[in-house]
Amino acid sequence: MDLFKSSLIGLKADSFRHPLDLEATKTLKQIPGLDMMVRNWLGPMAEQVFYVENIASSILVGEKQLPELHKLLLEACQILDIEPPQLYVRQHPAPNAYTFAMRGKQPFIVIHTSLIEILTPAEIQAVIAHELGHLKCDHSVYLTPVNLLILAAAFVPNIGTVLAQAMQSQLLEWVRCAEFTCDRAALLATQDPKIVMSVLMKLAGGSPSLAPELNLEAFIDQARAYDDISKTELGEMVKSARTAQLSHPVPVLRAREIDRWASSLEYQRILENHSINHRDETASSGGWRNW
């Protein structure tokens, strides 16, 4: 582990959960029958349609398979104080990563090869930590139908369109808010806001050839400009219309949120209250914790 990063022992989800996530979750819980629909219909369908298909078509990361990615996973889990899930790498041209967690099954994270190809190791760890944030915050109940919606749209466009039209707006609103929370988890794991914002920059306009040429400071300025424009009445209308049917907030908005939170007292207090310096931890425990 990087000696300049600290493990956040005893870290609780609510200590870094974004207030919009809290508010949207309360709204979702008021939708009659949603939890039952997910657990009794969408959950089993996800297990049958996607869980087995993923294992058959992806590479399971481990000590003997892509060991450097495995180390990034274990380090992020240690910092965020969470049990390691399985990590899979999947051949796919669209840069993406997602998490599945179902009762009776070990949770797992999937990262597409095209995303790995445009990121540095530190940025890959930020992506892993973002997905760990979903598990840390127990987002799986509501994340399952959203992931199914996205996957259905990718594999069977006509069905995906029908699902998107049928999906309640509250669900998409919730997942956009949940993304802000998980970006915070990525920051807590990397403890460097520039790493998280660099991932978002590359998601906005990166490719294997362009990624090395992108200017992070210019992107941060762009994010701040977007934030200023959004404060106007017209800007707010455009932003709402732009994001209404998206499963994620636009990258510049996410970057601005991380830019702001990284300089907050809340973030600093989390590091101060939970941190155990890795150098001290190694001396007292003999090294890595056994999971």
Side-chain angles (χ1 to χ4, degrees), residues 45 49-50 100 144-164:
M45 184 176 72
V49 174
F50 182 71
F100 264 80
T144 297
V146 174
N147 279 330
L148 287 174
L149 170 67
I150 295 170
L151 290 167
F155 288 107
V156 190
N158 290 336
I159 293 178
T161 300
V162 173
L163 284 172

Side-chain angles (χ1 to χ4, degrees), residues 117-136:
E117 287 171 356
I118 63 174
L119 301 180
T120 66
E123 292 165 353
I124 293 171
Q125 186 173 65
V127 170
I128 292 172
H130 173 101
E131 298 304 323
L132 290 173
H134 285 305
L135 297 175
K136 185 81 175 181

Side-chain angles (χ1 to χ4, degrees), residues 72-272:
L72 293 176
L73 169 68
L74 294 182
E75 182 182 76
C77 289
Q78 184 170 355
I79 293 172
L80 295 177
D81 200 11
I82 184 174
E83 291 290 330
Q86 291 181 333
L87 174 62
Y88 289 88
V89 172
R90 185 182 182 92
Q91 177 71 37
H92 200 285
N96 194 18
Y98 44 90
T99 301
F100 264 80
M102 294 170 287
R103 290 182 300 174
K105 297 288 185 181
Q106 183 175 13
F108 64 95
I109 295 169
V110 180
I111 303 180
H112 288 174
T113 52
S114 54
L115 181 57
I116 292 173
E117 287 171 356
I118 63 174
L119 301 180
T120 66
E123 292 165 353
I124 293 171
Q125 186 173 65
V127 170
I128 292 172
H130 173 101
E131 298 304 323
L132 290 173
H134 285 305
L135 297 175
K136 185 81 175 181
C137 296
D138 197 25
H139 285 157
S140 59
V141 169
Y142 302 121
L143 199 61
T144 297
V146 174
N147 279 330
L148 287 174
L149 170 67
I150 295 170
L151 290 167
F155 288 107
V156 190
N158 290 336
I159 293 178
T161 300
V162 173
L163 284 172
Q165 292 173 347
M167 186 65 68
Q168 297 194 48
S169 61
Q170 293 98 322
L171 195 54
L172 289 176
E173 175 66 22
W174 169 81
V175 77
R176 289 194 296 270
C177 296
E179 293 301 309
F180 289 135
T181 293
C182 295
D183 286 342
R184 290 181 172 191
L187 175 57
L188 290 171
T190 60
Q191 296 172 22
D192 185 344
K194 289 188 175 181
I195 292 175
V196 181
M197 288 189 283
S198 182
V199 173
L200 296 168
M201 174 182 66
K202 292 178 180 180
L203 285 173
S207 71
S209 60
L210 289 178
E213 300 180 21
L214 295 176
N215 185 310
L216 179 59
E217 295 303 323
F219 180 73
I220 294 173
D221 289 340
Q222 178 183 338
R224 291 169 180 167
Y226 177 84
D227 189 45
D228 291 338
I229 293 172
S230 298
K231 293 176 182 177
T232 67
E233 183 176 352
L234 179 59
E236 183 61 35
M237 290 174 59
V238 172
K239 184 175 73 172
S240 297
R242 173 71 178 83
T243 61
Q245 295 302 317
L246 297 178
S247 62
H248 290 61
V250 292
V252 289
L253 179 58
R254 293 169 63 183
R256 183 64 181 117
E257 282 291 311
I258 282 299
D259 184 33
R260 184 182 294 110
W261 196 61
S263 60
S264 70
L265 289 176
E266 181 183 8
Y267 170 65
Q268 296 300 326
R269 285 170 181 162
I270 290 174
L271 295 183
E272 292 170 1

